[in-house]
Amino acid sequence: MDLRIESDVDLTRLNTFGVPARARALVRIGDVRQLRAVVDHPRLGALPKLVLGGGSNLLLSRDPPGVVLKIEIGGLRVLRDDAQATLIEAGAGVAWHELVCWSLEQGLPGLENLALIPGTVGAAPVQNIGAYGMELAERFESLDVVDLTTGRAATLDRATCRFAYRDSVFKHALAGKSVIARVRLRLPKPWRAQLGYAELQRCFERSGVREPSPREVFDAVCAIRRAKLPDPARLGNAGSFFKNPVVNRTIRNEILEEYPEIVSYPLDDGNYKLAAAWMIEACGCKGRSVGAAAVDSRHALVLVNRGGASGAEVLQLAQEVREAVRKRFGIELDLEPVVV
Ligand code: EPU
């Protein structure tokens, strides 16, 4: 099978931070056969591979070594529909928000809390995307992967994916080893609005809507996101740059004694998630910059490219923010995006 290998490709527009980097080789992958052809290719087969979806959870701090695989596998379909749930399937290259809109248009609600999350369907399981009271794992059925060494395809269920907060097996045992080709989601029936996230609830209290429709939840989520988070199409960013740290009750209480106003959420396992944005702001880092890289002036968890920033500058800024939080709170912030 013939592969179209592009050489010396500018990646600036292929990462939502909009930082410059170049790929020595890039192959656009439209189906699983092309993936296998890359694995079997006499030259590409042995090279390191960077799998690129929407480039929205990625920081390119240098030119990636080896070959970049730009995943463009399409397709959206309903697989099964019964009294309990509807099963849908999407190609890894479909934009996540397009999937959310398509499912709503088909009269298949259940993903609306995850509206407007940048990136592709194939990238969604890697970090178990989540927002406004829902995580991908809650709607996940299974996915198809192709092994980057053997070219073999396999289907992984939810347990095998080991989903956790912004985490999965694809950031650990399978990191860099496989490519997600297709994802199947389960939309349970009957649909119920998930309004656990306080801001969403407040939104409907204010408007007096008691039982919002899926479309109303979708609209509310889009409005909240647009008000709080910078649009990567206008201001380069990769969404939350840091994860919210999870600490045990003792540590949380110690911090709470000194900082009674800190925002934290109790988790089912007895631990607490601390709002990293709150801590970053408390350290005075909101608006801080290194070159054209800055901590967003609206949401402290987001680092932005004000125009012309390099990946190295973003990384330098991230280190400074981590240092400030470590000094003040004794907490290590983990990065959310994949750093190359
Ligand atoms: N806050 C500040 N300063 C800020 C921003 C927020 O003090 O500049 C405070 C807020 O007042 C709030 C708390 O921090 O009390 C939490 O803020 P927010 O509700 O915006 O949520 P988050 O915990 O910062 C997480 C996800 C987002 C997701 C939102 C909504 C992570 C790392 N981030 O942010 O996900 O959209 O909840 O569910 O878990 C992403 O992962 O890219 C992302 C945007």
Side-chain angles (χ1 to χ4, degrees):
M1 161 179 239
D2 269 350
L3 281 176
R4 209 164 73 80
I5 305 168
E6 299 168 43
S7 317
D8 191 29
V9 180
D10 179 11
L11 299 175
T12 312
R13 286 171 170 278
L14 296 183
N15 72 95
T16 61
F17 253 121
V19 296
R22 298 194 85 82
R24 270 191 289 172
L26 181 143
V27 182
R28 294 177 192 274
I29 303 291
D31 60 34
V32 168
R33 283 178 321 141
Q34 285 172 325
L35 263 179
R36 291 214 187 92
V38 169
V39 173
D40 292 339
H41 192 275
R43 185 165 63 83
L44 300 181
L47 292 178
K49 296 172 188 71
L50 173 67
V51 178
L52 196 61
S56 60
N57 197 45
L58 172 71
L59 176 63
L60 292 167
S61 68
R62 59 183 177 131
D63 292 342
V67 55
V68 172
L69 304 180
K70 174 83 174 72
I71 307 301
E72 297 180 347
I73 301 171
L76 282 169
R77 60 182 179 141
V78 175
L79 289 181
R80 208 172 59 221
D81 187 39
D82 58 33
Q84 278 80 45
T86 307
L87 206 62
I88 58 175
E89 183 183 79
V94 174
W96 173 263
H97 185 65
E98 189 188 327
L99 165 64
V100 175
C101 295
W102 171 83
S103 58
L104 264 188
E105 280 157 19
Q106 306 297 306
L108 302 171
L111 299 177
E112 49 290 327
N113 294 53
L114 303 177
L116 272 190
I117 295 184
T120 55
V121 167
V126 176
Q127 56 156 342
N128 183 23
I129 57 168
Y132 307 105
M134 186 184 287
E135 279 187 350
L136 174 82
E138 295 166 56
R139 296 286 178 262
F140 181 85
E141 175 75 12
S142 64
L143 56 76
D144 298 338
V145 284
V146 174
D147 187 289
L148 277 174
T149 315
T150 63
R152 232 175 274 143
T155 297
L156 308 186
D157 63 11
R158 186 180 354 186
T160 314
C161 290
R162 305 188 75 87
F163 291 121
Y165 168 59
R166 293 297 189 277
D167 201 29
S168 75
V169 71
F170 303 103
K171 283 190 164 184
H172 301 279
L174 292 184
K177 297 207 170 89
S178 59
V179 175
I180 296 169
R182 252 180 293 278
V183 177
R184 283 171 290 276
L185 301 173
R186 190 174 188 280
L187 309 176
K189 291 182 193 172
W191 175 83
R192 276 194 203 91
Q194 289 219 13
L195 306 178
Y197 186 80
E199 210 172 334
L200 204 51
Q201 206 167 27
R202 273 200 300 276
C203 180
F204 289 111
E205 278 164 14
R206 270 199 307 270
S207 58
V209 177
R210 285 260 181 87
E211 289 183 11
S213 67
R215 175 62 62 175
E216 285 171 321
V217 176
F218 172 90
D219 288 341
V221 168
C222 290
I224 295 174
R225 274 194 87 94
R226 289 199 171 107
K228 282 176 41 163
L229 296 165
D231 176 1
R234 292 175 189 198
L235 190 62
N237 75 87
S240 298
F241 199 87
F242 303 98
K243 292 191 207 179
N244 286 323
V246 173
V247 298
N248 64 32
R249 176 192 274 272
T250 316
I251 295 180
R252 181 254 188 181
N253 287 347
E254 277 169 19
I255 297 180
L256 201 64
E257 242 171 64
E258 210 175 331
Y259 302 96
E261 38 340 326
I262 191 169
V263 179
S264 71
Y265 318 93
L267 300 176
D268 291 343
D269 61 6
N271 288 326
Y272 287 83
K273 200 186 264 183
L274 306 178
W278 187 92
M279 292 193 282
I280 294 169
E281 191 167 346
C283 290
C285 286
K286 211 170 183 172
R288 182 175 184 146
S289 60
V290 171
V295 178
D296 187 45
S297 50
R298 279 195 302 178
H299 203 300
L301 213 48
V302 181
L303 302 189
V304 297
N305 176 1
R306 286 181 175 156
S310 68
E313 283 170 338
V314 177
L315 207 54
Q316 166 73 28
L317 176 64
Q319 297 304 358
E320 291 183 12
V321 170
R322 291 183 81 204
E323 183 63 28
V325 170
R326 187 190 306 122
K327 267 201 186 139
R328 170 79 68 98
F329 297 98
I331 299 275
E332 289 288 337
L333 291 183
D334 285 336
L335 307 192
E336 201 187 280
V338 173
V339 177
V340 170

